[in-house]
Each structure stands twice: as structure tokens, then as C-alpha cells.
Amino acid sequence: MTEADRQEQILALVHQRGFVSIEAMAEHFSVTPQTIRRDVNRLCAKSLLRRYHGGAGLPSGIENAAYQARQVMQLAEKKRIAHAVAEEIPDGSSIFIAIGTTTEQVARALLDHRGLKIITNNLHAANILTENADFEVLVAGGIMNNRERGLVGESTVEFVGQFKTDFCVVGVGGIDGDGTLLDFDVREVRVSQAMMQHARQTVVVADHSKFGRNAMARLGRLEEAQLLVTDRPPPAALKTLIKRSKTRLLLAR
């Protein structure tokens, strides 16, 4: 097992149990406690775990990891998700693209399309999309969120409300076991909510690490989305909820 694989499984184990001791993880992975401590320290440095006496638990639901760190976390999975989303969007569509690292990858995956009209508050996505001269890219005004390189605030919400698009592509900080969509910044959430309300179809993009992850701000319900695109099957409770709803599940391969 590689170091990256072990760290990914440590994350999954802590998400499942809430807290795991160093000794229990060392026994589980058949490695020394020192190896586990190094793994945990690296995951804590990325704000993916929090160190507690004798072990590790879930990080705070108040603050997300830094954008630059999230850009490389689960990058292969995010790229697969992005390409799956791009295949769902036909040429000539209008799209809201919200703030986030996965939505940034969606913007990149859309570059081979033609005739798209995109409204976004995500400056990373806007910069990528301008590489295609056939696109019309509208950037919302508002207050700059320096941490996320995105625009938020009441003027951003008002700008979004002027449009009705075919699609809204939105990322999340976490998906609770009961289907609640969560994120970390209330100002971002309000813009994303406006996008969802003014789109004919909402596409939620979330890699497997978002299942069961804690965050403080409530974005909405998974059932409000027409499509969830992820890279692994969700936990059983979410699978059951999706089957009972009109939300379609698409696994990116």
C-alpha cells in the first residue's frame, strides 16, 4: 500500500468512526505508530483531520481547507467527475458555475464545447473559460472572497437573479447522511442557492471524500438537484435516499 493510499484510507476510517486512536490505526494498517503520526500530521496540515490526544478526529465544520490545498486533493477524481459532467452538457447551453475546485475542473473539461454561455462568480473558472473564444463568459460582480478567488454578497445574488440557465454546476463542502448539502461560507452558499433557483437543472459535483463530511452552512437538499456526479457509490443511506428521489446518480469512471 502506498503512503497516499494509506492516508486516503485513514480519512475514510476517521469519517466512519469520528475518532480513531493512533494505536488502532497502526494495528489496522500493520505499520508503526510513528508512521501513522506522520500520516496524520500531513492530513492535519491540509485541514483534512484534526489531532487530538492519542488519535485523530474530524476537522472543524467551521473552516474549509485552503483553496490551493484543495486544488490537488482528489485531483484525479475531480477530473473524472468534470469529464462526466461535460458529457452531460450539450453545445449551445447556458450554465451557472459556482465557486469550488471541482467546478473549476468542470470549466476546464468544457473547453472543447461550442457556443456556451456561462455565468460565474468563480474567477478561476472564468480565467479558464476565456481560453475558448466561442464562449460568452459573464462574471458576477460583488465582494472578493480572497481565500476562494470568488465573488460573493448581495450584489452577486442580484446579478444571478437576472438569468435563467439550462444548468447550474455547484460543488459542496460536505453531504450529510440525511442528504443535506453543506458548505463553509454562508455568503458563497447564498450565491449557489440563487444559481440553483434560477437553473432548469442543478448538477451537484462531489468526490467521495464529501460524503459524511461536516460543514456549518446549509446549502439545500440533495433531492433538489437533478444530478449528482461523484466518483464512488455513496453510503447506503444516501443511496436509498437517491433512489426515492428524482435525483440521478452518475458515477464517473
Side-chain angles (χ1 to χ4, degrees):
M1 181 184 296
T2 67
E3 180 180 290
D5 288 338
R6 187 175 59 251
Q7 289 177 11
E8 186 170 329
Q9 290 189 30
I10 287 171
L11 277 176
L13 196 62
V14 176
H15 273 280
Q16 181 183 7
R17 300 183 186 178
F19 173 87
V20 186
S21 71
I22 296 295
E23 290 73 17
M25 284 189 275
E27 183 178 349
H28 181 86
F29 292 103
S30 301
V31 295
T32 65
Q34 290 79 8
T35 297
I36 293 297
R37 287 191 187 96
R38 283 196 300 270
D39 288 334
V40 168
N41 286 339
R42 285 167 185 164
L43 292 167
C44 289
K46 297 176 181 178
S47 300
L48 295 173
L49 290 182
R50 175 174 284 188
R51 277 297 297 269
Y52 294 96
H53 180 69
L58 295 175
S60 166
I62 296 173
E63 186 175 0
N64 203 359
Y67 196 95
Q68 292 81 358
R70 294 183 350 252
Q71 281 180 310
V72 297
M73 293 174 189
Q74 283 82 43
L75 180 57
E77 292 89 339
K78 289 174 182 177
K79 286 181 176 180
R80 293 203 304 272
I81 289 168
H83 284 291
V85 172
E87 290 178 359
E88 295 287 316
I89 295 177
D91 290 342
S93 297
S94 56
I95 316 164
F96 286 125
I97 296 182
I99 291 173
T101 55
T102 309
T103 54
E104 177 186 335
Q105 290 301 323
V106 171
R108 195 173 298 283
L110 288 170
L111 284 175
D112 290 335
H113 281 54
R114 298 184 52 141
L116 298 182
K117 296 184 186 297
I118 302 109
I119 301 104
T120 186
N121 63 330
N122 183 333
L123 295 186
H124 292 280
N127 286 332
I128 292 165
L129 292 162
T130 55
E131 294 176 23
N132 187 326
D134 195 44
F135 290 174
E136 183 177 329
V137 182
L138 289 78
V139 179
I143 301 166
M144 172 67 79
N145 181 334
N146 292 329
R147 181 182 172 90
E148 301 293 320
R149 288 292 308 276
L151 294 151
V152 295
E154 289 306 313
S155 59
T156 317
V157 172
E158 289 175 11
F159 181 83
V160 166
Q162 298 178 77
F163 303 95
K164 183 75 174 182
T165 64
D166 300 315
F167 298 94
C168 164
V169 180
V170 62
V172 294
I175 303 178
D176 206 14
D178 66 357
T180 304
L181 303 175
L182 302 168
D183 220 324
F184 292 88
D185 189 313
V186 171
R187 298 174 305 168
E188 285 182 34
V189 162
R190 286 177 180 158
V191 178
S192 296
Q193 286 172 335
M195 290 179 173
M196 291 168 69
Q197 290 164 7
H198 291 89
R200 296 177 182 89
Q201 295 187 57
T202 292
V203 180
V204 173
V205 291
D207 68 76
H208 65 275
S209 70
K210 304 298 175 65
F211 296 131
R213 189 180 182 210
N214 189 27
M216 189 176 69
R218 184 184 182 278
L219 173 60
R221 298 280 307 169
L222 183 57
E223 303 96 302
E224 296 170 27
Q226 282 67 48
L227 178 63
L228 168 65
V229 186
T230 185
D231 60 297
R232 292 186 191 174
L238 274 179
K239 260 179 149 175
T240 301
L241 184 149
I242 291 168
K243 285 180 181 177
R244 291 175 180 169
S245 72
K246 294 182 180 178
T247 304
R248 182 162 63 95
L249 174 65
L250 176 58
L251 296 180
R253 302 297 186 186

